[in-house]
Amino acid sequence: MSALFTSQRRQAPFAACRYVIGCAFFWLSSSLLLSASAAAQTTLLTNVNGYTMLQGEGAGSTRERMHFSAIQFTGDTIDRLFTEGDELPADDNMTVIDGEGKTLLPGLIDAHGHVLSYGLSLLRVDMTGTRSEQEAVERVRAFQQANPELSWIQGRGWNQVLWDSNDFPSADSLAQAQADTPMWFSRVDGHAGWANQAAMELAGIDASTPDPDGGMIIRDSEGRPTGTFVDTAMSYITQHIPALSLEDQKMALRQAMLALAEQGLTSVHDAGVSSTTLQAYQELLMDGPLPIRVYVMLAGGDDQLSDRLAEGHFTSTDNTLVVRSVKISADGALGSRGAYLNEDYSDQAGHQGLLLLSPERLTQLMEMSMQAGFQVNVHAIGDGANMLVLDNYEALIQRTDTHAQRHRIEHAQVLRYEDILRFNELNVIPSMQATHATSDKNMAQDRLGEIRIQGAYAWRKLMDAGAVIANGSDFPVESPNPFFGLHAAVTRQDRQDQPPGGWFPGERMTLGEALTSFTLDAAYAAHQEERLGSLEPGKLADFILLEQDVFAIEPSQLWQVDVAQTWVGGRQIGE
């Protein structure tokens, strides 16, 4: 019943009714929601070790940490926090729950992930963490034996930088698995893919196949494709993979959201949602609230983007789905040398990376989205791509009068010093992923050299310049576990405590800053700080209970924190 959309901008009163079965259903559901709200149950959760960073005056302001011992909420909304010494209410009609001394935090928000891809990754070959191409092939063989009926075998997560060979994988190695089943495996960053010979034959790929604009086919010394395709070249293979049905997408989305909740996430920003996937979300809403909150970034490459923009902003009545932003990709990733740099890669002369869109098309998409009143979130990793995107923001924000939209750069990974200052000046949010730094540390300096690396993964420099950082993981590129991100942000180390003292430790966050970047500042990046990000009266009752006290343990142990319970809108998820 709570799957209904309310229009927030430029919509006729009944515009949202196309998302449900008729306007009569809309009014019936609205009446039921009002009745349910009036009769909402009040709950008192006592005996907790609670922390929240309180909302300051404006984004980026100093946040004060509050400690509390009990929280009261009615329905989905917080009524009051109680500190030690406060008298707790006595009401026979109130549900009282003993928190057993567990640590309570605001629900954590991942400001950049890919929900459908994560859900599919749970249903496909996982190559994450493989230490060699052969180990990846062994996982393929095991998966294939367990799923012999599949017409395509797919997976993700390989990273040749972690392999002893440091070479891109080849179709030849996949010949050890069943040769006549086409196979496709995405690199960990999603900017390269690995195909077997059957997939290349199905796609008609041979030595005469040209590199497309914005892409590259990896070839041997004789010019023959080896099986690895970078950025736009991936479409040579992916266009032949059967499309997911709507029911497939719904199943994957739901499985992903439940898995994300288990890890302490109560809200995610889904970076690049197609019209079909948006429909899947909407149909899931008809069965009740989504398990967690999803802030949708419409895919800039979607064929129906103009239609979605014309519909304006939407928020479900239960606040579990919001649509008001667009995700556009400017360049590729650093690991596959697809990130666009101003100068050549330090480890590949003559190569500066790839722009996925022409500068003209990038500007056109950004301006079109701004004119429609949408927040624009542009993927930019290389310093060349970031400079280009910031140049566009500088011109277009003024032209479209959208300074208040809090436009974003997703990743903001490699920056010139002068561009670091522009984020605060333009009110552009760097939406960054802490674990990218600790995953990329083995190759980033090789790619960038000793000078450019100083402006890479530069969290402290950005914060000192007044920027508001929204933190996330880019799942399934990285694990969605937010405690991995908190650990990386605070220590600048991987989970093996490497390197000693941290990688460029001057860029570390304090734990308070890191927690804020996963709560209040991530909420701010979605225009949701008035409802989410901290535990205060009037805000939504999104919180998590932990087995460990994050403010009492050693920073090196943050990634090992266990989530006991996740609550979204006053509902325990997975109960």
Side-chain angles (χ1 to χ4, degrees), residues 107-108 110 115 118 122 253-268 290-293 475 480-483 543-546 562-568 571-575:
L108 300 179
D110 191 310
V115 180
Y118 180 58
L122 300 175
L253 290 173
R254 182 163 183 79
Q255 182 158 341
M257 289 186 284
L258 290 171
L260 294 168
E262 287 180 359
Q263 298 177 74
L265 291 169
T266 59
S267 180
V268 296
L290 297 180
I292 62 175
R293 305 186 194 282
F475 63 79
N481 187 326
F483 295 95
F543 56 86
I544 55 177
L545 290 168
L546 310 176
D562 297 306
V563 177
Q565 296 179 20
T566 298
W567 292 67
V568 178
R571 298 173 294 116
Q572 185 178 348
I573 306 303
E575 183 180 19

Side-chain angles (χ1 to χ4, degrees), residues 467-485:
V468 174
I469 294 178
N471 222 324
S473 67
D474 200 13
F475 63 79
V477 174
E478 303 277 0
S479 167
N481 187 326
F483 295 95
F484 290 5

Side-chain angles (χ1 to χ4, degrees), residues 4-25:
L4 308 175
F5 277 77
T6 55
S7 175
Q8 293 181 317
R9 186 180 59 84
R10 300 195 330 277
Q11 295 296 302
F14 306 107
C17 292
R18 70 180 190 82
Y19 290 100
V20 295
I21 306 173
C23 291
F25 183 72

Side-chain angles (χ1 to χ4, degrees), residues 102-253:
K102 290 181 170 58
T103 293
L104 189 151
L105 294 180
L108 300 179
I109 302 170
D110 191 310
H112 185 110
H114 306 277
V115 180
L116 180 62
S117 294
Y118 180 58
L120 293 173
S121 75
L122 300 175
L123 304 170
R124 294 179 176 173
V125 182
D126 181 10
M127 296 181 174
T128 306
T130 53
R131 307 302 299 184
S132 68
E133 185 173 351
Q134 184 59 40
E135 183 182 349
V137 171
E138 289 301 324
R139 292 193 188 182
V140 173
R141 293 177 64 183
F143 180 86
Q144 185 180 44
Q145 290 171 6
N147 300 276
E149 75 287 354
L150 294 177
S151 59
W152 273 80
I153 293 180
Q154 299 180 66
R156 62 160 307 281
W158 60 269
N159 183 358
Q160 84 286 357
V161 174
L162 301 179
W163 298 346
D164 293 338
S165 67
N166 205 31
D167 292 332
F168 283 116
S170 73
D172 290 344
S173 63
L174 288 172
Q176 299 173 45
Q178 187 173 322
D180 58 355
T181 302
M183 300 179 182
W184 176 252
F185 308 107
S186 297
R187 191 182 184 277
V188 64
D189 56 16
H191 287 271
W194 175 19
N196 70 345
Q197 190 62 39
M200 290 195 290
E201 289 175 0
L202 181 65
I205 303 295
D206 59 26
S208 66
T209 305
D211 287 352
D213 291 339
M216 177 172 51
I217 300 172
I218 304 299
R219 305 172 190 269
D220 62 19
S221 59
E222 298 181 10
R224 294 172 299 195
T226 62
T228 298
F229 299 77
V230 179
D231 285 318
T232 59
M234 294 188 294
S235 65
Y236 280 140
I237 303 294
T238 57
Q239 65 182 315
H240 296 280
I241 300 175
L244 290 169
S245 69
L246 191 62
E247 290 303 314
D248 289 338
Q249 294 199 43
K250 288 166 64 176
M251 179 180 67
L253 290 173

Side-chain angles (χ1 to χ4, degrees), residues 168-435:
F168 283 116
S170 73
D172 290 344
S173 63
L174 288 172
Q176 299 173 45
Q178 187 173 322
D180 58 355
T181 302
M183 300 179 182
W184 176 252
F185 308 107
S186 297
R187 191 182 184 277
V188 64
D189 56 16
H191 287 271
W194 175 19
N196 70 345
Q197 190 62 39
M200 290 195 290
E201 289 175 0
L202 181 65
I205 303 295
D206 59 26
S208 66
T209 305
D211 287 352
D213 291 339
M216 177 172 51
I217 300 172
I218 304 299
R219 305 172 190 269
D220 62 19
S221 59
E222 298 181 10
R224 294 172 299 195
T226 62
T228 298
F229 299 77
V230 179
D231 285 318
T232 59
M234 294 188 294
S235 65
Y236 280 140
I237 303 294
T238 57
Q239 65 182 315
H240 296 280
I241 300 175
L244 290 169
S245 69
L246 191 62
E247 290 303 314
D248 289 338
Q249 294 199 43
K250 288 166 64 176
M251 179 180 67
L253 290 173
R254 182 163 183 79
Q255 182 158 341
M257 289 186 284
L258 290 171
L260 294 168
E262 287 180 359
Q263 298 177 74
L265 291 169
T266 59
S267 180
V268 296
H269 302 177
D270 197 347
V273 174
S274 71
S275 290
T276 304
T277 304
L278 180 59
Q279 182 182 350
Y281 274 126
Q282 292 159 355
E283 292 195 8
L284 286 171
L285 275 167
M286 295 181 71
D287 295 328
L290 297 180
I292 62 175
R293 305 186 194 282
V294 180
Y295 181 77
V296 165
M297 305 181 206
L298 298 171
D302 186 68
D303 291 340
Q304 300 175 53
L305 177 63
S306 59
D307 294 335
R308 300 289 82 77
L309 293 177
E311 291 165 356
H313 302 172
F314 290 96
T315 299
S316 63
T317 55
D318 55 35
N319 289 292
T320 58
L321 184 67
V322 175
V323 183
R324 58 160 299 152
S325 64
V326 178
K327 193 283 186 80
I328 302 168
S329 291
D331 67 343
L334 194 64
S336 55
R337 297 188 184 87
Y340 183 69
L341 304 179
N342 279 312
E343 298 179 0
D344 289 355
Y345 275 75
S346 296
D347 58 358
Q348 186 172 344
H351 181 68
Q352 290 180 238
L354 303 165
L355 284 175
L356 302 184
L357 300 168
S358 69
E360 295 76 18
R361 178 59 175 162
L362 176 64
T363 302
Q364 179 189 30
L365 277 174
M366 292 176 68
E367 184 168 14
M368 178 176 73
S369 302
M370 289 179 179
Q371 293 287 10
F374 276 66
Q375 179 191 55
V376 174
N377 306 333
V378 184
H379 164 120
I381 289 183
D383 58 358
N386 276 282
M387 182 182 73
L388 178 63
V389 173
L390 286 166
D391 287 346
N392 271 329
Y393 278 138
E394 188 165 350
L396 296 176
I397 288 173
Q398 182 174 4
R399 186 186 307 168
T400 59
D401 191 24
T402 57
H403 185 268
Q405 283 291 357
R406 306 174 188 174
H407 302 298
R408 296 162 44 165
I409 291 185
E410 304 302 309
H411 310 306
Q413 208 160 296
V414 185
L415 302 169
R416 305 180 307 159
Y417 279 103
E418 53 268 45
D419 287 336
I420 288 173
L421 302 176
R422 299 168 77 188
F423 282 86
N424 182 44
E425 294 168 359
L426 297 172
N427 196 31
V428 170
I429 295 170
S431 172
M432 306 179 76
Q433 299 76 44
T435 48

